[in-house]
Amino acid sequence: QVQLVESGGGLVQPGGSLRLSCVASGFTFSINGMSWYRQAPGMERELVARISPGRSTTYADSVKGRFTISRDNGKNTVYLQMNSLRPEDTGVYYCKGVNTWGQGTQVTVSS
């Protein structure tokens, strides 16, 4: 069964950093693209970043230059490194792969 297990969320001050992790199982990780989405309070879920099997990346304009998506195929893990965090980055962050969502992890950026 496909499973995506996320971790790394938490409370951080503006300007701080967090690294989210998503460990995948139940499918061949290395040949599948992976994505991070987020949903802020009162907002629709939006694509934050995605990475292809060949490690091509795509970012939302709002996070470009601040966030980096990466993958470690040996660990079946996709990461989202988030730097220079802003209050508007607050929300639930979800990992997605093979048409399956992770459980989500809360990121709160506040002083």
Side-chain angles (χ1 to χ4, degrees):
Q1 183 175 318
V2 173
Q3 190 173 31
L4 303 173
V5 180
E6 301 167 325
S7 62
L11 175 64
V12 65
Q13 293 183 334
S17 297
L18 285 173
R19 187 177 71 171
L20 307 183
S21 299
C22 172
V23 179
S25 60
F27 64 99
T28 306
F29 180 81
S30 63
I31 63 170
N32 282 275
M34 300 293 296
S35 300
W36 286 97
Y37 288 72
R38 69 185 180 191
Q39 189 164 20
M43 301 289 286
E44 297 295 313
R45 192 171 296 185
E46 65 174 344
L47 178 68
V48 175
R50 60 185 171 202
I51 186 166
S52 75
R55 292 188 169 87
S56 297
T57 58
T58 302
Y59 298 95
D61 287 344
S62 59
V63 309
K64 202 167 297 179
R66 301 187 296 122
F67 291 12
T68 303
I69 189 171
S70 62
R71 66 193 299 157
D72 185 335
N73 290 339
K75 292 183 168 67
N76 286 354
T77 301
V78 62
Y79 303 96
L80 187 67
Q81 178 67 46
M82 305 186 294
N83 299 326
S84 302
L85 283 162
R86 305 166 180 168
E88 54 263 41
D89 295 318
T90 293
V92 181
Y93 283 69
Y94 299 90
C95 180
K96 187 181 181 183
V98 291
N99 300 312
T100 301
W101 295 97
Q103 80 282 0
T105 184
Q106 177 70 43
V107 171
T108 302
V109 184
S110 177
S111 58

